[in-house]
Amino acid sequence: MARVTDLFVAPAGSEPMASVDRVEAVADAGLRGDRYCTGEGYYSPYDTCQVTLVAREALAEIEREAGIDLTDGRHRRNVVVAGLDVHDLLDHRFRLGEATLVGTRPRPPCAHVEELAEEAGVARALGDGRGGICADVIEGGSVAVGSTVTDLGDRDRTDAIVERLRAEGE
């Protein structure tokens, strides 16, 4: 069973990630106390993710292959999960603790991550699908270290399709 192993938030862009035991996911916003929830992220408003997830196994692979330990949050992702390839959550709804999210897109690394990590090779190490994913919060709720991650299946696009057809008919 997939579980949350670590949670991180940063109050503003470029601020260090702080490890927390519990956080509130806010619908249509992100994680309370995090820079992207408040619109203060480094890439706000142009390239934002409400919540970012990365696999613990990917971080372990980075440490084995590149000798870079990112478990302190220098990966700049909010949620670390074990027992699941986070890419399997893309275009899926999933429960994260008490919250419901939808995986929206991969989150590739950038030069800014490496700059903040202050270690050469971090961006490259997070490449090759190890950088995690972005997700949007559909229903808010509490998320804690140890919370389960449950895949609820493919994203239901019925409402969006109906809205588009109605708009086209007008």
Side-chain angles (χ1 to χ4, degrees), residues 43-103:
Y43 290 107
S44 293
Y46 305 106
D47 182 20
T48 62
C49 291
Q50 289 181 12
V51 180
T52 50
L53 295 91
V54 66
R56 182 178 186 173
E57 293 82 359
L59 298 177
E61 186 177 312
I62 289 168
E63 187 167 10
R64 275 193 314 276
E65 290 181 7
I68 299 172
D69 180 3
L70 298 175
T71 57
D72 60 358
R74 291 182 308 138
H75 46 70
R76 308 291 296 171
R77 304 310 187 248
N78 299 119
V79 182
V80 180
V81 300
L84 172 74
D85 179 348
V86 294
H87 292 87
D88 291 343
L89 299 173
L90 289 172
D91 284 326
H92 282 228
R93 292 177 309 106
F94 60 95
R95 298 280 301 165
L96 190 63
E98 298 173 355
T100 303
L101 290 81
V102 62

Side-chain angles (χ1 to χ4, degrees), residues 51 123 145 150 168:
V51 180
V145 170
T150 306
E168 289 174 3

Side-chain angles (χ1 to χ4, degrees), residues 13-15 36 42-43 76 109-117 123:
S14 303
E15 291 289 318
Y36 285 105
Y42 181 77
Y43 290 107
R76 308 291 296 171
C110 62
H112 185 62
V113 168
E114 186 158 321
E115 178 184 319
L116 293 177

